[in-house]
Amino acid sequence: MRSQSVISARSVPSGRDGADDRVDEDAGSPGSLPAAGSPVELLAVLAEAAAACGAQAGLPGLLERFARMPDPRDPRGRRHSLPAILGLCTAAVLAGQVGLEDITAWVAAAPQQVLSAMGCRRNALGVCVAPHPDTIERVLAALAAQDLADQAGAHLLAGHLRRHDDTTDPPRDTDRDTDPSDGRDALWRNASGPLPRPAAAVDGKAVRGAVGVDGLIPYLLAVATHIDTVVIAERAIGPKSNEVPSFAPLLRGLAEHADITGWVFTMDAGHTVRAHARLVVGELHAHYVMIAKQNTPKVFAVLDAQPWDTTPIAHEIIQTRHGRWEKRTIRVLPAPPELDFPHAAQVFLIERTTVRTVYKRDKNSKKIKKTKVRHAVAALGMTSLTAAQATGEHLAGYVRGQWAIENKIHWVRDVTFREDASRVRTGSRPRIMTTLRNLAIGIIRQAGHTRIAPTIRRIRHDPLKILTLMGLPTTSQTIT
């Protein structure tokens, strides 16, 4: 055990970290050394300077992403780096903390191993010090929410590309009159026909419980991958607006972080807009799968008038699960000339029939009657993918993948993280909390875990597993 006989009384840390977050007016500039002091004080200053250098370079993946964000605080008086604060908040969410007060309490009680891995500063005794709850709340209140969303999305996108990246890079056609994605078709074709392409779903969600600057509930528009269902881009919808104006900036921002040539983007009927089709295909050189409903009456009328009754079924799947029998079919036709929709190559009709067994008790009777409830629904849509680029089975998979963002992102945030019951209501903090939840869900999924709540229960009391998920070192560097 290290002897404490040489430590002066004023170098012993206080039991509360509030004093650590205040500016010491007599301490001089951050880079200066005290005129006189014990060797322990000198080591503490050197350790703090080394930690400040580490915040700029050499950090593990996620913390390095956080280090790229501008720190909203005045450089004078900073005691804890921004990557350390955001890393601890992410670890707290991974441990199942759902509210801001729960997160700050978890950080305050975090073990030395976690604080050391996050690069937290050390006091004169060489012990890592956690940021005070007030410091965390001030940082989150001043932080630019879009910057955090961009860095979190870029981190998850990099992980997605590492897991599903192709090793080949076929040459592209530089002719402006041709589709650049044609040069990459070799990636998604084998001897038996086309292969599924990388796909992402675009969908919005209300941040219920929060209040925007216009007094209304704010909305966020996000892009989530189909395969591992992680949010790779996110953007706030402007006040007194809808999702449509935010669509183009969202995808353009995504294109800045990755080559999305040849990707397939799915969306709900609210985004079946000609401008979106031109953007996806003409500018981003990707593909779209859109659903047509009554909000686009002319397009819907043309699709509904096609000879679906005489069109053979291109793909059929029958499943029995969750207490119901389900049958899905898709019929595909070439896009008719009268459709007049940008880059449309194929149109399709998807029909889903479900049969559920229901047990009901007749009124004024004790007998339980077993009945089967049949439900059928149909959806019309179109795509820029040609028959050589996507079969009926692929199109059915893309359409079904659109629901992944609802079932595996929005539902998890509402049920597991109780987002709609959050008491963080104003400023940038509600959106920052949403981004931290998306990041935690993505980290867990990219680690190979498909069930979020059981995974959180397994890791919440195991700092080693949390650090491993975040890609941080798991060896303690605490001086004792």
Side-chain angles (χ1 to χ4, degrees):
M1 186 72 178
R2 187 174 178 176
S3 173
Q4 299 182 11
S5 59
V6 297
I7 301 177
S8 62
R10 58 190 178 92
S11 67
V12 177
S14 171
R16 185 176 181 272
D17 188 42
D20 295 326
D21 295 326
R22 294 193 296 267
V23 180
D24 187 356
E25 296 179 352
D26 299 328
S29 62
S32 62
L33 297 178
S38 67
V40 174
E41 290 176 325
L42 179 60
L43 289 174
V45 172
L46 294 176
E48 200 166 331
C53 294
Q56 303 299 326
L59 292 174
L62 181 57
L63 298 185
E64 194 273 333
R65 290 283 182 184
F66 291 151
R68 298 181 185 182
M69 298 174 53
D71 195 325
R73 298 172 294 174
D74 193 311
R76 298 170 297 178
R78 291 181 190 171
R79 293 291 187 257
H80 304 277
S81 68
L82 183 62
I85 293 175
L86 293 178
L88 287 169
C89 290
T90 304
V93 177
L94 284 169
Q97 308 306 315
V98 297
L100 184 55
E101 293 179 355
D102 299 328
I103 290 175
T104 56
W106 187 93
V107 171
Q112 285 290 301
Q113 192 170 23
V114 173
L115 298 179
S116 175
M118 298 295 174
C120 291
R121 74 177 190 89
R122 298 177 182 272
N123 61 14
L125 296 176
V127 177
C128 292
V129 180
H132 191 269
D134 292 344
T135 299
I136 296 176
E137 294 193 14
R138 286 196 300 268
V139 170
L140 296 187
L143 197 65
Q146 187 62 52
D147 289 342
L148 179 60
D150 290 343
Q151 294 302 328
H155 177 75
L156 294 177
L157 176 60
H160 172 80
L161 294 177
R162 282 195 301 269
R163 295 183 66 193
H164 308 287
D165 192 18
D166 296 289
T167 57
T168 58
D169 189 14
R172 299 187 188 177
D173 193 341
T174 57
D175 186 357
R176 294 184 180 181
D177 296 331
T178 61
D179 183 2
S181 66
D182 291 343
R184 301 193 66 132
D185 276 353
L187 291 175
W188 305 298
R189 185 183 296 121
N190 59 16
S192 60
L195 297 172
R197 294 166 176 253
V202 181
D203 196 16
K205 184 184 184 299
V207 186
R208 302 192 183 278
V211 180
V213 294
D214 56 352
L216 302 177
I217 297 175
Y219 279 76
L220 298 177
L221 188 65
V223 179
T225 58
H226 280 197
I227 297 178
D228 44 12
T229 320
V230 297
V231 175
I232 56 176
E234 180 187 271
R235 192 174 185 88
I237 297 172
K240 298 181 180 179
S241 182
N242 54 38
E243 297 179 11
V244 173
S246 301
F247 184 89
L250 176 70
L251 293 193
R252 288 191 180 112
L254 176 62
E256 293 177 358
H257 291 93
D259 182 8
I260 57 176
T261 301
W263 282 36
V264 178
F265 289 95
T266 62
M267 57 213 75
D268 57 29
H271 291 286
T272 303
V273 181
R274 285 177 167 81
H276 291 357
R278 297 188 187 98
L279 169 75
V280 171
V281 180
E283 181 178 334
L284 303 179
H285 310 302
H287 293 281
Y288 65 80
V289 175
M290 295 182 175
I291 300 297
K293 292 185 178 180
Q294 295 291 351
N295 61 320
T296 52
K298 293 182 180 179
V299 174
F300 181 83
V302 172
L303 296 181
D304 191 42
Q306 299 306 302
W308 299 115
D309 293 338
T310 58
T311 302
I313 294 176
H315 177 67
E316 176 182 286
I317 183 171
I318 298 177
Q319 293 179 327
T320 302
R321 60 179 185 175
H322 303 301
R324 68 173 182 261
W325 177 89
E326 183 179 70
K327 177 182 177 182
R328 292 172 174 264
T329 63
I330 183 170
R331 305 169 193 265
V332 185
L333 289 172
E338 62 270 21
L339 181 60
D340 190 26
F341 198 86
H343 306 289
Q346 296 186 91
V347 296
F348 56 84
L349 167 67
I350 290 181
E351 296 176 297
R352 186 186 69 172
T353 303
T354 59
V355 178
R356 295 185 297 114
T357 302
V358 179
Y359 296 88
K360 290 185 178 181
R361 177 175 295 173
D362 292 340
K363 190 175 182 180
N364 301 326
S365 173
K366 294 183 179 180
K367 294 185 62 176
I368 297 178
K369 184 179 179 181
K370 184 174 77 171
T371 60
K372 292 187 179 295
V373 178
R374 185 183 182 89
H375 180 71
V377 64
L380 294 166
M382 53 202 164
T383 179
S384 60
L385 293 163
T386 64
Q389 295 170 329
T391 64
E393 180 180 1
H394 297 147
L395 295 179
Y398 294 140
V399 173
R400 196 167 189 179
Q402 170 64 25
W403 288 98
I405 193 171
E406 289 282 355
N407 298 336
K408 298 182 179 181
I409 299 292
H410 298 169
W411 189 89
V412 173
R413 278 171 27 197
D414 287 340
V415 176
T416 303
F417 292 104
R418 301 197 295 274
E419 181 172 278
D420 287 351
S422 174
R423 300 180 63 183
V424 180
R425 306 192 186 282
T426 59
S428 63
R429 294 183 302 172
R431 187 181 174 195
I432 288 175
M433 294 295 294
T434 296
T435 301
L436 291 176
R437 294 176 189 124
N438 286 335
L439 179 59
I441 294 170
I443 290 174
I444 292 174
R445 286 234 167 86
Q446 290 187 342
H449 305 284
T450 57
R451 301 178 64 193
I452 303 300
T455 303
I456 290 176
R457 286 194 292 269
R458 288 196 301 269
I459 69 175
R460 68 189 318 159
H461 300 301
D462 193 336
L464 285 177
K465 291 181 179 178
I466 293 177
L467 295 177
T468 301
L469 283 178
M470 296 180 66
L472 300 178
T474 56
T475 56
S476 177
Q477 301 175 4
T478 304
I479 299 177
T480 58

